[in-house]
Amino acid sequence: MDSPAVPIREVRVERVLARSSGVPELDRVLGGGLVPGAAVLLAGEPGVGKSTLLLEVAAQTARSGVRTLYLTGEESAAQVRLRADRTGAVQDELFLAAETDLGAVLTHIHDVAPQLLVVDSVQTISAGDVEGVPGGVTQVKEVAAALTRVAKTRNIATVLVGHVTKDGSVAGPRVLEHLVDVVLHFEGERSSRLRMVRALKNRFGPIDEVGCFDLSGDGISAVTDPAGLFVARHHTAVPGTCVSVTLDGRRPILAEVQALVTPSAAERPRRTTAGVDAARIAMTLAVLQQRVGMRLHTHDVFVSTVGGARIIEPAGDLAAAVAIASAWKNREVPTDMVAIGELGLAGELRRVRDLPQRLAEAARLGFRSAVVPGEPGRPGGMVREVDGMQVVGVPDIDSALRALDLAKADATALLRPDRAAPQRPVLGLV
Ligand SMILES: Nc1ncnc2c1ncn2[C@@H]1O[C@H](COP(=O)(O)OP(=O)(O)OP(=O)(O)O)[C@@H](O)[C@H]1O
Ligand SMILES: [Mg+2]
């Protein structure tokens, strides 16, 4: 027995106080910082910038006088030194070793006695006395277990890099998830410099925060004003667009819906969609026609998302309906607004799952107002403040359109476009 059970009041708590990783944008995702003795898994696709980010964390931590050991099994020490020169990460307290054998890794940890350990990557380290190839399930589990054990006993904050492929089939992060305290996902498109870090699991904090970074030749830096980054420069406010927040698994993603409504010359008007569910759009059009009185049956309707985004969940209904109504009325909605909600056949708006996370993401990305399903007993809408955003809760599509000044009659609009702010934050158009 390592230590006897003690009354909870007597448990010492200084061990779980987080220390800044030196990268505030990452601290935000971690829920404070790196906790001594805790193991963090940073998973991401090849080339996304994992080594660059962790070298920055290591350098910033070392700069504050905390001894840091960066172990690489992927590159030579010289390669890492070159990157450090390029990104300005050369620090006295930063120790570097290129190593692939677990025994040697443990020796380095013993010799250097770091307070922060980075292992890049867990798939490249192999344990000599365990069967299986390096990177295989057995090896990866054993290596990760040994490293988390050392982290716990020596009270070292440990960050492990884990590779994932597009199909997630390679042994790694999935089998490691229960071994570590925090799982971070590092994502970004190759075509853009924008990188995002999200927590998929966190024993020390919430998982609804996202860290935004800019990856360039000079290294990685925090994007302190993400809203500015998501501006679609090719247009200012135009009628027929509305932004929604969809959920990809647990991850909220902002996506813009665009609609165009034109008088039809055809006997059967066209309904063309891209990136949205055609059946849901057909239903939305029927609801708008029947419940709100828009005579759309004489018009061609085109609905699409921007940048290849896919909005297939019902929570995207309201944004599609607002975009169509905005196109129909030829009147724009506020550029910094999101609309989230499922539309029912009676025109009622239904609640969607994880609304707080969606709103938090929208607020985080610079959006200032939202239209969401409200309480059924409160017709006309109700405004409250969430995460610094003006959130309008409406019971049905008619109230939603009234709130946006898109309804037929004498509406009292709760949200009007701010014509002085023509910029629209949009994800994925960087
Ligand atoms: N010499 C360089 N000059 C400018 N940019 C570079 C240079 N070397 C790398 N980069 C950029 O940094 C990006 C991230 O590289 P990094 O090695 O940090 O990614 P990684 O996730 O660790 O990759 P891997 O899975 O291969 O370990 C590269 O995709 C590239 O765009
Ligand atoms: Mg790397």
Side-chain angles (χ1 to χ4, degrees):
M1 193 164 51
D2 288 343
S3 51
V6 290
I8 190 165
R9 204 184 292 283
E10 288 163 31
V11 174
R12 292 168 52 206
V13 293
E14 66 267 33
R15 283 172 62 104
V16 296
L17 292 180
R19 188 179 56 222
S20 169
S21 69
V23 177
E25 196 68 10
L26 188 64
D27 290 344
R28 170 198 286 274
V29 186
L30 289 165
L34 292 163
V35 175
V40 176
L41 176 70
L42 180 72
E45 287 174 17
V48 73
K50 302 179 292 297
S51 306
T52 308
L53 175 63
L54 291 181
L55 190 60
E56 178 66 13
V57 169
Q60 293 299 342
T61 304
R63 187 203 294 266
S64 67
V66 174
R67 180 159 294 193
T68 301
L69 175 58
Y70 187 105
L71 284 161
T72 175
E74 308 240 316
E75 298 161 290
S76 67
Q79 270 177 298
V80 179
R81 169 65 207 261
L82 276 177
R83 177 183 291 121
D85 283 335
R86 176 164 59 88
T87 64
V90 180
Q91 296 291 336
D92 291 342
E93 285 297 314
L94 176 52
F95 286 68
L96 194 58
E99 197 58 71
T100 54
D101 176 66
L102 180 62
V105 163
L106 297 177
T107 308
H108 283 307
I109 297 170
H110 181 265
D111 292 347
V112 176
Q115 286 176 266
L116 170 65
L117 170 69
V118 175
V119 179
D120 185 5
S121 67
V122 68
Q123 277 103 340
T124 48
I125 311 292
S126 60
D129 50 352
V130 179
E131 284 184 20
V133 290
V137 179
T138 326
Q139 281 278 346
V140 164
K141 266 181 142 170
E142 180 61 28
V143 169
L147 291 172
T148 48
R149 215 158 36 232
V150 173
K152 291 264 178 313
T153 53
R154 301 182 70 112
N155 216 22
I156 305 169
T158 302
V159 185
L160 309 174
V161 170
H163 291 291
V164 284
T165 56
K166 277 244 185 290
D167 60 0
S169 63
V170 172
R174 286 255 85 115
V175 297
L176 296 177
E177 278 178 10
H178 72 280
L179 279 175
V180 296
D181 300 297
V182 180
V183 180
L184 301 181
H185 204 266
F186 196 177
E187 50 196 57
E189 293 294 324
R190 270 160 213 268
S191 55
S192 114
R193 280 166 47 162
L194 174 66
R195 294 292 183 273
M196 291 203 176
V197 177
R198 296 168 196 275
L200 299 190
K201 156 181 169 174
N202 190 354
R203 286 181 178 155
F204 308 108
I207 55 163
D208 50 9
E209 273 291 5
V210 54
C212 297
F213 296 92
D214 177 20
L215 183 72
S216 71
D218 299 335
I220 196 157
S221 54
V223 177
T224 42
D225 178 20
L229 195 73
F230 301 119
V231 170
R233 293 178 199 90
H234 67 278
H235 67 231
T236 51
V238 285
T241 79
C242 184
V243 177
S244 187
V245 188
T246 69
L247 275 187
D248 171 13
R250 270 175 297 170
R251 275 178 250 144
I253 292 176
L254 275 89
E256 179 179 339
V257 190
Q258 297 190 336
L260 189 63
V261 178
T262 54
S264 180
E267 205 169 301
R268 276 191 65 197
R270 289 172 67 114
R271 268 81 180 102
T272 307
T273 61
V276 288
D277 184 0
R280 292 211 74 83
I281 294 299
M283 185 212 71
T284 303
L285 290 172
V287 171
L288 286 173
Q289 171 129 5
Q290 221 38 44
R291 308 289 174 203
V292 191
M294 289 184 195
R295 300 175 57 77
L296 292 158
H297 64 283
T298 54
H299 285 66
D300 291 334
V301 180
F302 304 86
V303 180
S304 100
T305 57
V306 171
R310 273 167 60 78
I311 309 180
I312 41 172
E313 57 158 356
D317 291 350
L318 181 58
V322 168
I324 293 165
S326 164
W328 169 258
K329 281 268 166 195
N330 200 27
R331 194 178 297 160
E332 68 268 35
V333 298
T335 52
D336 54 2
M337 182 202 82
V338 294
I340 309 161
E342 177 182 348
L343 196 54
L345 290 179
E348 82 278 19
L349 286 175
R350 302 212 190 102
R351 280 158 195 267
V352 301
R353 71 180 172 105
D354 295 330
L355 187 62
Q357 282 86 336
R358 298 183 203 239
L359 291 176
E361 180 77 338
R364 163 107 183 87
L365 294 178
F367 288 78
R368 300 270 66 95
S369 59
V371 181
V372 302
E375 287 164 41
R378 288 176 177 268
M382 188 184 123
V383 185
R384 64 199 158 102
E385 178 108 356
V386 180
D387 297 328
M389 269 204 303
Q390 198 186 355
V391 176
V392 178
V394 283
D396 51 48
I397 183 65
D398 193 46
S399 315
L401 298 183
R402 279 172 197 279
L404 293 166
D405 202 8
L406 294 175
K408 230 168 150 186
D410 53 348
T412 324
L414 296 169
L415 290 173
R416 283 181 195 277
D418 177 3
R419 282 165 213 280
Q423 292 185 330
R424 171 195 293 269
V426 171
L427 192 62
L429 285 176
V430 185

